[in-house]
Amino acid sequence: MLTQLPENFTALVTGASGGIGAAITKALLNCPHLGQVIAVSRQSPTITDPRLTWLKLDVSVEADRLALCEHLNKQPLHLVFNAIGILHDEVGGIQPEKQLGQLNEEALSGLFHTNAITPALLLSALQDSLKGSHPAIFASLSARVGSISDNRLGGWYAYRASKAAHNMLMKTAAIELKRFNKKAIVLCLHPGTTDTALSQPFQARVPEHKLFTPDFVAERLLSVISQRTPQDTGTFWDWEGKPVDW
């Protein structure tokens, strides 16, 4: 796993206390040539390991992104996995829209901020740790519903649009980052329907064999990442290792 990364590589996981983020962190700690994992989240992870450093930060906030950069001090990062995302929020009254009449400015703004703006600003903030001549992978969770060409059912306006915007931001950043590090890879990843809080209200219609555990998804996504080369930068892949159309 991750054989393109050097011995004692450094990984950073954002959203590390969530379902997929925690599973990715755990899977990375099972990687024999890992040096350290920096786990970033608002809640502490349940995992303890001498190679794990936890930073209590919210990377959707500029001050916390600056604090992360200060901690790193331009330290080279070999893998960044962004697991931050939002589909619904009961407290905020945000639910996927089924029709145009349900569009809400606050919900649209909130989903765009979490799903598109934050990953882009995170990538921008981490530039000094990704530039250079070392292998550097920035992998960010997207969703197949963010594919414009695959949209046949409609609905879920804010989530679809925010993930489509996420994909464009990652694609554009991949082009620029390649100029500063020939070994850099920026990837958008579709994890499939995962048994987490994000998908919980929408699992009833998901076939049992299509509802995945976070551990399974983490293993599959790290396998997909392991197969990518710098020629794949700026591309979109699903958990099976199949490319997803924009």
Side-chain angles (χ1 to χ4, degrees):
M1 185 172 69
L2 302 173
T3 55
Q4 72 269 59
L5 300 185
E7 192 70 23
N8 296 317
F9 72 87
T10 297
L12 171 70
V13 180
T14 58
S17 63
I20 294 178
I24 287 288
T25 302
K26 184 170 69 173
L28 286 170
L29 290 168
N30 289 327
C31 189
H33 64 299
L34 172 78
Q36 66 167 327
V37 178
I38 301 167
V40 178
S41 59
R42 290 175 293 182
Q43 287 82 38
S44 62
T46 57
I47 309 164
T48 57
D49 189 286
R51 296 165 297 165
L52 175 64
T53 299
W54 174 53
L55 301 178
K56 185 179 182 180
L57 297 172
D58 179 355
V59 295
S60 69
V61 178
E62 183 180 12
D64 284 13
R65 290 193 298 273
L66 293 174
L68 173 59
C69 292
E70 184 177 349
H71 173 85
L72 292 171
N73 193 27
K74 301 183 181 181
Q75 171 188 356
L77 291 173
H78 302 98
L79 173 64
V80 178
F81 191 100
N82 172 54
I84 294 172
I86 183 174
L87 171 57
H88 59 91
D89 179 6
E90 291 185 10
V91 176
I94 297 175
Q95 291 291 332
E97 313 89 346
K98 295 181 180 179
Q99 52 194 4
L100 274 170
Q102 295 177 335
L103 286 178
N104 175 279
E105 182 178 354
E106 186 176 345
L108 280 164
S109 177
L111 265 68
F112 265 81
H113 180 74
T114 300
N115 294 337
I117 296 171
T118 293
L121 291 177
L122 174 66
L123 179 50
S124 174
L126 296 176
Q127 285 184 84
D128 287 340
S129 292
L130 299 172
K131 292 178 179 179
S133 58
H134 62 287
I137 303 171
F138 187 98
S140 188
L141 286 183
S142 186
R144 192 183 300 275
V145 295
S147 166
I148 294 174
S149 61
D150 193 57
N151 184 357
R152 298 178 180 85
L153 298 176
W156 291 35
Y157 285 86
Y159 190 65
R160 286 183 184 277
S162 64
K163 288 298 188 179
H166 164 278
N167 295 346
M168 177 58 84
L169 287 163
M170 294 298 106
K171 171 72 174 180
T172 305
I175 295 169
E176 179 177 348
L177 187 58
K178 192 175 182 66
R179 298 172 188 153
F180 300 99
N181 187 342
K182 300 299 183 184
K183 296 181 181 178
I185 308 173
V186 178
L187 301 170
C188 301
L189 299 175
H190 168 60
T193 305
T194 311
D195 189 9
T196 64
L198 184 143
S199 69
Q200 188 71 46
F202 314 101
Q203 293 178 5
R205 296 184 180 180
V206 179
E208 185 176 348
H209 66 284
K210 287 293 187 180
L211 180 63
F212 307 133
T213 67
D215 287 344
F216 172 80
V217 169
E219 183 273 326
R220 287 303 312 142
L221 292 182
L222 288 177
S223 175
V224 172
I225 293 171
S226 296
Q227 297 171 43
R228 305 282 70 83
T229 70
Q231 286 67 44
D232 294 315
T233 193
T235 53
F236 187 9
W237 301 83
D238 72 8
W239 61 275
E240 292 185 285
K242 296 178 180 177
V244 182
D245 291 336
W246 298 118

